[in-house]
Amino acid sequence: MTRIGWVFLGLVALATAAFVAMTSFGGPAPIASATPTAATTRPFARLRSAVQRIEHRLRSSAATGEGPVLGVPVQGVARAAITDTWGQARSEGRVHHGTDIPAPQGTPVLAVADGTIEKLFASRLGGTTLYERSVDRRWTFYYAHLSGYAPGLHEGQVVHAGEQVGMVGDTGDAGPGNYHLHFGLTRTTPDQHWYQGEDVNAYPYLAAGAPGR
């Protein structure tokens, strides 16, 4: 039986127990009124409403999946200052799959969660980049356009949320003086490599600290 089924079955059992408790055990049951009253229907309406809310939450959770809890990856930037840049047009006909966070050159870039540095990589578009893998290997965190890495940072290194991993820059195709961090989020399976997985909009996680797409 599914989780929704068990929840519904439990609530039905509670409703049955409540109904039995309201009846008299010392004599014959009273004759029910032919017309339901507000007093008799209100508890069941509330029960039905509660069941519907639980079913909705379970379906929503199954549809969106559980997301990571992320810190802000640029030091000194408030969550409220982050804007949603997912899906914006980019050069060469590309669509933006990330969240851009402007900041002065050299501003510390911080790990958004505990994890392991899986790849340090220089690319034409991303410039100086790094890929961090979450502890459960279900997520990859991508940091791009860096001006450099934190001193001593290396592949295989374990990092913790809030630890500096790099500095804001304008490398790759960011454009001279366009200092910002491109942060990307990828959903993966534990056996996938750093360059595989499904791109996910990180903005809801960064801005509100709650799951979203």
Side-chain angles (χ1 to χ4, degrees):
M1 182 180 293
T2 65
R3 290 173 60 193
I4 294 176
W6 283 113
V7 172
F8 185 81
L9 183 61
L11 289 173
V12 170
L14 288 174
T16 302
F19 177 77
V20 171
M22 287 188 295
T23 60
S24 171
F25 292 96
I31 299 175
S33 172
T35 304
T37 65
T40 59
T41 59
R42 188 178 298 115
F44 295 98
R46 290 174 178 171
L47 176 64
R48 184 165 54 252
S49 177
V51 170
Q52 289 171 345
R53 287 196 300 271
I54 292 172
E55 288 178 338
H56 175 72
R57 288 183 187 137
L58 290 174
R59 290 194 185 102
S60 297
S61 176
T64 61
E66 182 183 356
V69 176
L70 301 182
V72 176
V74 180
Q75 188 176 85
V77 173
R79 290 189 186 275
I82 300 174
T83 59
D84 189 359
T85 60
W86 176 272
Q88 292 181 352
R90 290 294 186 266
S91 62
E92 303 175 13
R94 294 175 297 112
V95 174
H96 193 234
H97 281 178
T99 302
D100 286 344
I101 305 176
Q105 182 182 23
T107 301
V109 171
L110 313 176
V112 294
D114 294 348
T116 302
I117 302 301
E118 190 147 302
K119 186 68 176 179
L120 303 179
F121 188 69
S123 71
R124 179 177 66 87
L125 298 177
T128 301
T129 70
L130 71 85
Y131 295 78
E132 178 196 353
R133 197 69 169 266
S134 65
V135 174
D136 60 8
R137 296 185 61 80
R138 293 177 54 227
W139 301 93
T140 297
F141 313 122
Y142 174 60
Y143 310 78
H145 305 313
L146 304 175
S147 63
Y149 302 120
L153 193 77
H154 59 85
E155 293 178 3
Q157 179 177 336
V158 174
V159 294
H160 300 286
E163 181 177 344
Q164 183 175 357
V165 294
M167 291 80 73
V168 170
D170 61 353
T171 56
D173 71 342
N178 182 22
Y179 301 116
H180 70 279
L181 172 71
H182 169 106
F183 179 78
L185 179 64
T186 305
R187 180 184 287 112
T188 66
T189 58
D191 59 325
Q192 286 182 314
H193 298 290
W194 57 273
Y195 52 84
Q196 297 176 308
E198 174 195 1
D199 290 333
V200 174
N201 186 1
Y203 171 74
Y205 300 87
L206 294 172
R213 284 185 65 87

